[in-house]
Short mmCIF file of all heavy atoms in Angstrom, two decimals:
data_model
loop_
_atom_site.label_atom_id
_atom_site.label_comp_id
_atom_site.label_asym_id
_atom_site.label_seq_id
_atom_site.Cartn_x
_atom_site.Cartn_y
_atom_site.Cartn_z
N MET L 26 183.41 2.62 55.26
CA MET L 26 183.39 3.38 54.04
C MET L 26 182.20 4.34 54.08
O MET L 26 181.11 3.97 54.46
CB MET L 26 183.25 2.40 52.88
CG MET L 26 183.66 2.94 51.59
SD MET L 26 183.78 1.59 50.41
CE MET L 26 185.24 2.10 49.62
N SER L 27 182.39 5.59 53.73
CA SER L 27 181.30 6.56 53.81
C SER L 27 180.63 6.72 52.45
O SER L 27 181.24 6.53 51.41
CB SER L 27 181.83 7.90 54.30
OG SER L 27 182.77 8.41 53.38
N ALA L 28 179.37 7.08 52.52
CA ALA L 28 178.59 7.27 51.30
C ALA L 28 178.99 8.61 50.66
O ALA L 28 179.39 9.54 51.34
CB ALA L 28 177.11 7.27 51.63
N PRO L 29 178.88 8.73 49.34
CA PRO L 29 179.26 9.98 48.68
C PRO L 29 178.33 11.14 49.05
O PRO L 29 178.76 12.28 49.07
CB PRO L 29 179.18 9.65 47.20
CG PRO L 29 178.29 8.47 47.10
CD PRO L 29 178.47 7.72 48.38
N ASN L 30 177.08 10.85 49.35
CA ASN L 30 176.12 11.89 49.73
C ASN L 30 175.57 11.56 51.11
O ASN L 30 174.41 11.19 51.27
CB ASN L 30 174.98 11.96 48.72
CG ASN L 30 175.45 12.42 47.36
OD1 ASN L 30 176.35 13.24 47.27
ND2 ASN L 30 174.86 11.90 46.31
N ALA L 31 176.39 11.70 52.12
CA ALA L 31 175.98 11.34 53.48
C ALA L 31 174.92 12.32 53.99
O ALA L 31 174.93 13.50 53.66
CB ALA L 31 177.19 11.37 54.40
N GLY L 32 174.04 11.82 54.81
CA GLY L 32 173.01 12.66 55.41
C GLY L 32 171.84 12.88 54.49
O GLY L 32 171.77 12.37 53.37
N ARG L 33 170.89 13.63 55.00
CA ARG L 33 169.69 13.91 54.21
C ARG L 33 169.95 15.06 53.26
O ARG L 33 170.58 16.04 53.62
CB ARG L 33 168.54 14.24 55.14
CG ARG L 33 168.18 13.06 56.02
CD ARG L 33 167.02 13.38 56.86
NE ARG L 33 165.87 13.62 56.01
CZ ARG L 33 164.63 13.54 56.41
NH1 ARG L 33 164.36 13.24 57.64
NH2 ARG L 33 163.64 13.76 55.59
N GLN L 34 169.47 14.94 52.07
CA GLN L 34 169.66 15.96 51.07
C GLN L 34 168.35 16.69 50.82
O GLN L 34 167.28 16.09 50.81
CB GLN L 34 170.15 15.33 49.76
CG GLN L 34 171.45 14.56 49.89
CD GLN L 34 172.61 15.48 50.19
OE1 GLN L 34 172.74 16.53 49.59
NE2 GLN L 34 173.45 15.07 51.13
N SER L 35 168.41 17.99 50.62
CA SER L 35 167.22 18.76 50.28
C SER L 35 166.84 18.47 48.84
O SER L 35 167.70 18.27 47.99
CB SER L 35 167.49 20.26 50.42
OG SER L 35 167.77 20.59 51.74
N PRO L 36 165.54 18.46 48.56
CA PRO L 36 165.14 18.26 47.16
C PRO L 36 165.52 19.48 46.32
O PRO L 36 165.78 20.55 46.84
CB PRO L 36 163.62 18.11 47.24
CG PRO L 36 163.23 18.64 48.56
CD PRO L 36 164.41 18.57 49.45
N GLU L 37 165.57 19.27 45.03
CA GLU L 37 165.87 20.36 44.12
C GLU L 37 164.81 21.46 44.30
O GLU L 37 163.67 21.17 44.67
CB GLU L 37 165.84 19.85 42.67
CG GLU L 37 166.90 18.82 42.35
CD GLU L 37 168.30 19.38 42.48
OE1 GLU L 37 168.51 20.56 42.16
OE2 GLU L 37 169.18 18.64 42.94
N PRO L 38 165.15 22.71 44.07
CA PRO L 38 164.19 23.81 44.26
C PRO L 38 162.88 23.61 43.50
O PRO L 38 161.82 23.99 43.98
CB PRO L 38 164.94 25.04 43.75
CG PRO L 38 166.38 24.70 43.89
CD PRO L 38 166.46 23.20 43.69
N GLU L 39 162.95 23.00 42.34
CA GLU L 39 161.73 22.78 41.56
C GLU L 39 160.80 21.76 42.23
O GLU L 39 159.60 21.75 42.00
CB GLU L 39 162.06 22.26 40.15
CG GLU L 39 163.00 23.14 39.35
CD GLU L 39 164.46 22.86 39.67
OE1 GLU L 39 164.86 21.69 39.75
OE2 GLU L 39 165.20 23.85 39.86
N ARG L 40 161.34 20.88 43.06
CA ARG L 40 160.56 19.80 43.66
C ARG L 40 160.21 20.07 45.13
O ARG L 40 159.58 19.25 45.76
CB ARG L 40 161.35 18.49 43.57
CG ARG L 40 161.63 18.10 42.11
CD ARG L 40 162.36 16.80 41.98
NE ARG L 40 161.52 15.73 42.50
CZ ARG L 40 161.99 14.67 43.19
NH1 ARG L 40 163.27 14.56 43.39
NH2 ARG L 40 161.18 13.74 43.62
N GLN L 41 160.61 21.24 45.68
CA GLN L 41 160.32 21.54 47.06
C GLN L 41 158.84 21.89 47.26
O GLN L 41 158.22 22.49 46.39
CB GLN L 41 161.18 22.71 47.56
CG GLN L 41 162.63 22.34 47.71
CD GLN L 41 163.45 23.48 48.27
OE1 GLN L 41 163.01 24.62 48.31
NE2 GLN L 41 164.66 23.18 48.68
N SER L 42 158.32 21.51 48.43
CA SER L 42 156.94 21.86 48.74
C SER L 42 156.86 23.34 49.09
O SER L 42 157.88 24.00 49.32
CB SER L 42 156.43 21.01 49.91
OG SER L 42 157.11 21.37 51.09
N SER L 43 155.64 23.87 49.18
CA SER L 43 155.49 25.29 49.48
C SER L 43 156.03 25.62 50.88
O SER L 43 156.47 26.73 51.13
CB SER L 43 154.03 25.70 49.38
OG SER L 43 153.25 24.95 50.29
N ALA L 44 156.00 24.65 51.80
CA ALA L 44 156.53 24.89 53.15
C ALA L 44 158.04 25.00 53.13
O ALA L 44 158.63 25.61 54.02
CB ALA L 44 156.09 23.77 54.07
N GLN L 45 158.69 24.43 52.14
CA GLN L 45 160.15 24.45 52.08
C GLN L 45 160.68 25.64 51.30
O GLN L 45 161.83 26.00 51.43
CB GLN L 45 160.67 23.17 51.42
CG GLN L 45 160.42 21.93 52.24
CD GLN L 45 160.81 20.68 51.47
OE1 GLN L 45 160.49 20.54 50.30
NE2 GLN L 45 161.50 19.78 52.15
N VAL L 46 159.85 26.25 50.47
CA VAL L 46 160.30 27.34 49.61
C VAL L 46 160.34 28.64 50.40
O VAL L 46 159.50 28.90 51.24
CB VAL L 46 159.35 27.49 48.40
CG1 VAL L 46 159.74 28.68 47.55
CG2 VAL L 46 159.37 26.23 47.57
N GLY L 47 161.31 29.48 50.14
CA GLY L 47 161.38 30.79 50.76
C GLY L 47 162.09 30.77 52.09
O GLY L 47 162.69 29.78 52.50
N HIS L 48 162.01 31.88 52.76
CA HIS L 48 162.67 32.06 54.05
C HIS L 48 161.65 31.94 55.17
O HIS L 48 160.48 32.27 54.99
CB HIS L 48 163.36 33.43 54.09
CG HIS L 48 164.36 33.61 53.01
ND1 HIS L 48 165.59 33.01 53.04
CD2 HIS L 48 164.32 34.32 51.86
CE1 HIS L 48 166.26 33.33 51.96
NE2 HIS L 48 165.52 34.14 51.21
N PRO L 49 162.08 31.54 56.34
CA PRO L 49 161.16 31.50 57.46
C PRO L 49 160.66 32.90 57.79
O PRO L 49 161.37 33.88 57.60
CB PRO L 49 161.97 30.94 58.62
CG PRO L 49 163.36 30.83 58.16
CD PRO L 49 163.40 31.07 56.69
N GLU L 50 159.43 32.98 58.25
CA GLU L 50 158.86 34.28 58.56
C GLU L 50 159.53 34.86 59.80
O GLU L 50 159.88 34.15 60.73
CB GLU L 50 157.36 34.16 58.79
CG GLU L 50 156.64 33.73 57.54
CD GLU L 50 155.16 33.98 57.64
OE1 GLU L 50 154.76 34.83 58.45
OE2 GLU L 50 154.42 33.33 56.90
N SER L 51 159.72 36.15 59.78
CA SER L 51 160.37 36.80 60.91
C SER L 51 159.36 37.53 61.78
O SER L 51 159.72 38.35 62.60
CB SER L 51 161.43 37.77 60.42
OG SER L 51 160.82 38.77 59.62
N GLY L 52 158.07 37.23 61.59
CA GLY L 52 157.03 37.89 62.37
C GLY L 52 156.94 37.36 63.79
O GLY L 52 157.77 36.58 64.25
N GLN L 53 155.93 37.79 64.49
CA GLN L 53 155.76 37.41 65.89
C GLN L 53 154.93 36.15 66.05
O GLN L 53 154.47 35.86 67.14
CB GLN L 53 155.10 38.57 66.64
CG GLN L 53 156.00 39.79 66.76
CD GLN L 53 157.22 39.51 67.61
OE1 GLN L 53 157.14 38.82 68.61
NE2 GLN L 53 158.35 40.03 67.20
N ILE L 54 154.71 35.40 65.01
CA ILE L 54 153.94 34.16 65.09
C ILE L 54 154.69 33.16 65.94
O ILE L 54 155.88 32.94 65.77
CB ILE L 54 153.67 33.59 63.69
CG1 ILE L 54 152.87 34.60 62.87
CG2 ILE L 54 152.96 32.26 63.78
CD1 ILE L 54 152.69 34.23 61.44
N ASP L 55 154.00 32.56 66.89
CA ASP L 55 154.58 31.57 67.80
C ASP L 55 155.71 32.15 68.65
O ASP L 55 156.57 31.42 69.11
CB ASP L 55 155.08 30.33 67.05
CG ASP L 55 153.94 29.56 66.42
OD1 ASP L 55 152.82 29.65 66.94
OD2 ASP L 55 154.18 28.87 65.43
N ALA L 56 155.72 33.46 68.83
CA ALA L 56 156.76 34.07 69.65
C ALA L 56 156.38 33.92 71.12
O ALA L 56 155.21 33.79 71.47
CB ALA L 56 156.91 35.54 69.30
N ALA L 57 157.36 33.94 71.97
CA ALA L 57 157.10 33.84 73.41
C ALA L 57 156.37 35.10 73.88
O ALA L 57 156.58 36.19 73.34
CB ALA L 57 158.43 33.71 74.15
N PRO L 58 155.49 34.96 74.87
CA PRO L 58 154.78 36.13 75.36
C PRO L 58 155.74 37.10 76.07
O PRO L 58 156.81 36.71 76.51
CB PRO L 58 153.76 35.56 76.35
CG PRO L 58 154.30 34.23 76.74
CD PRO L 58 155.10 33.74 75.58
N SER L 59 155.30 38.33 76.15
CA SER L 59 156.15 39.33 76.82
C SER L 59 156.26 39.02 78.30
O SER L 59 155.44 38.28 78.86
CB SER L 59 155.55 40.72 76.64
OG SER L 59 154.32 40.80 77.35
N LYS L 60 157.25 39.59 78.95
CA LYS L 60 157.44 39.35 80.38
C LYS L 60 156.25 39.86 81.18
O LYS L 60 155.85 39.26 82.17
CB LYS L 60 158.73 40.01 80.87
CG LYS L 60 159.96 39.31 80.37
CD LYS L 60 161.20 39.85 81.01
CE LYS L 60 162.41 39.15 80.43
NZ LYS L 60 163.29 38.65 81.43
N GLU L 61 155.66 40.98 80.75
CA GLU L 61 154.51 41.53 81.46
C GLU L 61 153.33 40.57 81.37
O GLU L 61 152.63 40.33 82.36
CB GLU L 61 154.12 42.90 80.89
CG GLU L 61 155.15 43.98 81.13
CD GLU L 61 156.27 43.97 80.09
OE1 GLU L 61 156.11 43.38 79.01
OE2 GLU L 61 157.33 44.55 80.39
N HIS L 62 153.10 40.03 80.19
CA HIS L 62 152.00 39.09 80.00
C HIS L 62 152.23 37.83 80.84
O HIS L 62 151.31 37.34 81.49
CB HIS L 62 151.87 38.73 78.52
CG HIS L 62 150.83 37.69 78.24
ND1 HIS L 62 149.49 37.97 78.29
CD2 HIS L 62 150.93 36.37 77.94
CE1 HIS L 62 148.81 36.86 78.03
NE2 HIS L 62 149.67 35.89 77.81
N ALA L 63 153.44 37.33 80.83
CA ALA L 63 153.76 36.13 81.60
C ALA L 63 153.57 36.38 83.10
O ALA L 63 153.04 35.53 83.82
CB ALA L 63 155.19 35.69 81.31
N GLN L 64 153.97 37.56 83.58
CA GLN L 64 153.81 37.89 85.00
C GLN L 64 152.34 38.00 85.36
O GLN L 64 151.91 37.54 86.42
CB GLN L 64 154.55 39.19 85.33
CG GLN L 64 154.57 39.50 86.81
CD GLN L 64 155.33 38.46 87.61
OE1 GLN L 64 156.43 38.08 87.24
NE2 GLN L 64 154.75 37.99 88.69
N GLU L 65 151.53 38.61 84.49
CA GLU L 65 150.09 38.72 84.75
C GLU L 65 149.45 37.34 84.85
O GLU L 65 148.66 37.08 85.76
CB GLU L 65 149.42 39.52 83.63
CG GLU L 65 149.71 40.99 83.66
CD GLU L 65 149.10 41.71 82.47
OE1 GLU L 65 148.20 41.13 81.81
OE2 GLU L 65 149.52 42.84 82.19
N LYS L 66 149.80 36.44 83.94
CA LYS L 66 149.24 35.10 83.96
C LYS L 66 149.68 34.34 85.20
O LYS L 66 148.91 33.60 85.80
CB LYS L 66 149.64 34.32 82.70
CG LYS L 66 148.96 34.80 81.45
CD LYS L 66 147.49 34.53 81.52
CE LYS L 66 146.83 34.85 80.21
NZ LYS L 66 145.40 34.63 80.27
N SER L 67 150.94 34.54 85.61
CA SER L 67 151.46 33.87 86.79
C SER L 67 150.73 34.37 88.04
O SER L 67 150.32 33.57 88.89
CB SER L 67 152.96 34.13 86.91
OG SER L 67 153.46 33.58 88.09
N ASP L 68 150.56 35.68 88.15
CA ASP L 68 149.86 36.24 89.31
C ASP L 68 148.41 35.77 89.35
O ASP L 68 147.88 35.45 90.41
CB ASP L 68 149.91 37.77 89.28
CG ASP L 68 151.32 38.30 89.52
OD1 ASP L 68 152.16 37.55 90.06
OD2 ASP L 68 151.57 39.48 89.16
N ASP L 69 147.77 35.72 88.19
CA ASP L 69 146.38 35.26 88.12
C ASP L 69 146.28 33.80 88.57
O ASP L 69 145.37 33.44 89.32
CB ASP L 69 145.86 35.41 86.69
CG ASP L 69 144.41 35.00 86.57
OD1 ASP L 69 143.60 35.47 87.40
OD2 ASP L 69 144.09 34.21 85.67
N ALA L 70 147.21 32.97 88.14
CA ALA L 70 147.18 31.56 88.53
C ALA L 70 147.42 31.41 90.02
O ALA L 70 146.78 30.58 90.68
CB ALA L 70 148.25 30.78 87.75
N LYS L 71 148.31 32.21 90.58
CA LYS L 71 148.58 32.14 92.02
C LYS L 71 147.35 32.51 92.83
O LYS L 71 147.07 31.92 93.87
CB LYS L 71 149.74 33.07 92.39
CG LYS L 71 151.08 32.57 91.92
CD LYS L 71 152.15 33.60 92.26
CE LYS L 71 153.46 33.29 91.58
NZ LYS L 71 154.44 34.37 91.76
N GLU L 72 146.61 33.52 92.38
CA GLU L 72 145.46 34.01 93.12
C GLU L 72 144.21 33.18 92.92
O GLU L 72 143.43 32.99 93.86
CB GLU L 72 145.18 35.46 92.73
CG GLU L 72 146.28 36.42 93.14
CD GLU L 72 146.07 37.82 92.60
OE1 GLU L 72 145.00 38.08 92.00
OE2 GLU L 72 146.98 38.64 92.75
N ASN L 73 143.98 32.68 91.73
CA ASN L 73 142.70 32.07 91.41
C ASN L 73 142.73 30.56 91.18
O ASN L 73 141.69 29.92 91.24
CB ASN L 73 142.11 32.74 90.17
CG ASN L 73 141.91 34.22 90.39
OD1 ASN L 73 141.49 34.65 91.45
ND2 ASN L 73 142.22 35.02 89.38
N VAL L 74 143.88 30.01 90.88
CA VAL L 74 143.93 28.59 90.51
C VAL L 74 144.61 27.76 91.59
O VAL L 74 144.10 26.73 92.01
CB VAL L 74 144.65 28.40 89.16
CG1 VAL L 74 144.74 26.95 88.80
CG2 VAL L 74 143.94 29.19 88.07
N LEU L 75 145.77 28.21 92.01
CA LEU L 75 146.55 27.43 92.96
C LEU L 75 146.12 27.74 94.38
O LEU L 75 145.74 28.85 94.71
CB LEU L 75 148.03 27.77 92.79
CG LEU L 75 148.62 27.52 91.41
CD1 LEU L 75 150.05 28.02 91.37
CD2 LEU L 75 148.57 26.05 91.07
N SER L 76 146.19 26.74 95.23
CA SER L 76 145.95 26.97 96.64
C SER L 76 147.11 26.37 97.41
O SER L 76 147.76 25.43 96.96
CB SER L 76 144.64 26.35 97.08
OG SER L 76 144.66 24.96 96.92
N SER L 77 147.37 26.91 98.60
CA SER L 77 148.53 26.46 99.35
C SER L 77 148.31 25.07 99.93
O SER L 77 149.26 24.33 100.16
CB SER L 77 148.87 27.45 100.46
OG SER L 77 147.78 27.53 101.36
N ASN L 78 147.07 24.69 100.20
CA ASN L 78 146.80 23.38 100.78
C ASN L 78 145.49 22.86 100.18
O ASN L 78 144.42 23.01 100.79
CB ASN L 78 146.71 23.49 102.31
CG ASN L 78 146.69 22.12 102.95
OD1 ASN L 78 146.98 21.13 102.31
ND2 ASN L 78 146.35 22.08 104.22
N PRO L 79 145.54 22.25 99.02
CA PRO L 79 144.31 21.81 98.36
C PRO L 79 143.62 20.70 99.14
O PRO L 79 144.25 19.93 99.86
CB PRO L 79 144.77 21.32 96.99
CG PRO L 79 146.21 20.99 97.18
CD PRO L 79 146.73 21.91 98.24
N GLU L 80 142.31 20.63 99.00
CA GLU L 80 141.52 19.60 99.66
C GLU L 80 141.74 18.26 98.98
O GLU L 80 141.78 18.17 97.76
CB GLU L 80 140.04 19.98 99.59
CG GLU L 80 139.14 19.09 100.37
CD GLU L 80 137.72 19.60 100.39
OE1 GLU L 80 137.49 20.72 100.84
OE2 GLU L 80 136.85 18.84 99.93
N GLY L 81 141.90 17.22 99.77
CA GLY L 81 142.12 15.89 99.23
C GLY L 81 140.84 15.30 98.66
O GLY L 81 139.73 15.76 98.97
N PRO L 82 140.94 14.26 97.84
CA PRO L 82 139.76 13.69 97.19
C PRO L 82 138.79 13.03 98.18
O PRO L 82 137.60 12.95 97.91
CB PRO L 82 140.33 12.68 96.21
CG PRO L 82 141.70 12.38 96.73
CD PRO L 82 142.16 13.60 97.43
N MET L 83 139.26 12.57 99.33
CA MET L 83 138.39 11.91 100.30
C MET L 83 138.05 12.78 101.50
O MET L 83 137.39 12.33 102.43
CB MET L 83 139.06 10.60 100.79
CG MET L 83 139.31 9.61 99.66
SD MET L 83 137.82 9.11 98.81
CE MET L 83 136.97 8.22 100.07
N GLU L 84 138.49 14.04 101.49
CA GLU L 84 138.27 14.89 102.64
C GLU L 84 136.79 15.17 102.89
O GLU L 84 136.33 15.18 104.03
CB GLU L 84 139.02 16.21 102.46
CG GLU L 84 139.18 16.97 103.76
CD GLU L 84 140.25 18.03 103.67
OE1 GLU L 84 141.17 17.90 102.85
OE2 GLU L 84 140.16 18.98 104.45
N GLY L 85 136.01 15.35 101.85
CA GLY L 85 134.57 15.57 102.01
C GLY L 85 133.90 14.36 102.61
O GLY L 85 133.03 14.48 103.50
N ALA L 86 134.25 13.17 102.18
CA ALA L 86 133.67 11.93 102.71
C ALA L 86 134.06 11.74 104.16
O ALA L 86 133.26 11.29 104.98
CB ALA L 86 134.11 10.74 101.88
N ALA L 87 135.26 12.13 104.54
CA ALA L 87 135.71 11.99 105.92
C ALA L 87 134.93 12.93 106.84
O ALA L 87 134.56 12.55 107.96
CB ALA L 87 137.21 12.29 106.02
N HIS L 88 134.61 14.14 106.38
CA HIS L 88 133.82 15.07 107.18
C HIS L 88 132.37 14.58 107.33
O HIS L 88 131.74 14.81 108.35
CB HIS L 88 133.86 16.47 106.58
CG HIS L 88 135.16 17.18 106.80
ND1 HIS L 88 135.58 17.59 108.03
CD2 HIS L 88 136.13 17.55 105.93
CE1 HIS L 88 136.75 18.18 107.92
NE2 HIS L 88 137.12 18.17 106.64
N ASP L 89 131.84 13.93 106.30
CA ASP L 89 130.47 13.40 106.38
C ASP L 89 130.35 12.29 107.41
O ASP L 89 129.28 12.11 108.01
CB ASP L 89 130.03 12.88 105.00
CG ASP L 89 129.86 14.02 104.01
OD1 ASP L 89 129.74 15.19 104.43
OD2 ASP L 89 129.84 13.73 102.79
N LYS L 90 131.39 11.53 107.63
CA LYS L 90 131.35 10.42 108.59
C LYS L 90 131.40 10.89 110.03
O LYS L 90 131.00 10.16 110.93
CB LYS L 90 132.52 9.46 108.33
CG LYS L 90 132.36 8.69 107.04
CD LYS L 90 133.52 7.71 106.86
CE LYS L 90 133.34 6.92 105.58
NZ LYS L 90 134.42 5.97 105.39
N ILE L 91 131.90 12.09 110.27
CA ILE L 91 132.05 12.58 111.64
C ILE L 91 130.75 13.15 112.14
O ILE L 91 129.97 13.75 111.60
CB ILE L 91 133.18 13.62 111.75
CG1 ILE L 91 134.49 12.97 111.37
CG2 ILE L 91 133.24 14.23 113.10
CD1 ILE L 91 135.66 13.91 111.35
#
């Protein structure tokens, strides 16, 4: 048997919080970065952050023993 008011119901407009009232903003807040910005960040990470063969955590200690 199903309930007469199945699912979650929105509160009456008088009882809604300020976050629930009105329409969602259509601005650029929390928008994805542009493709140019993403490509710049990717290139920067490739050049300055990532390395093709990173040094292992014990590699320095192994060289000291030799």
Side-chain angles (χ1 to χ4, degrees):
M26 200 168 221
S27 63
N30 294 325
R33 296 183 63 159
Q34 301 292 316
S35 296
E37 296 296 325
E39 304 85 45
R40 299 182 64 217
Q41 289 183 347
S42 68
S43 60
Q45 293 173 315
V46 175
H48 301 285
E50 295 196 22
S51 61
Q53 293 294 321
I54 299 173
D55 294 334
S59 67
K60 289 188 182 230
E61 294 83 18
H62 176 74
Q64 187 63 48
E65 287 176 17
K66 289 294 187 181
S67 176
D68 291 341
D69 182 49
K71 288 176 191 173
E72 294 173 7
N73 301 320
V74 178
L75 302 175
S76 62
S77 61
N78 191 13
E80 187 174 301
M83 299 301 293
E84 197 163 335
H88 286 292
D89 292 342
K90 290 182 179 180
I91 298 177

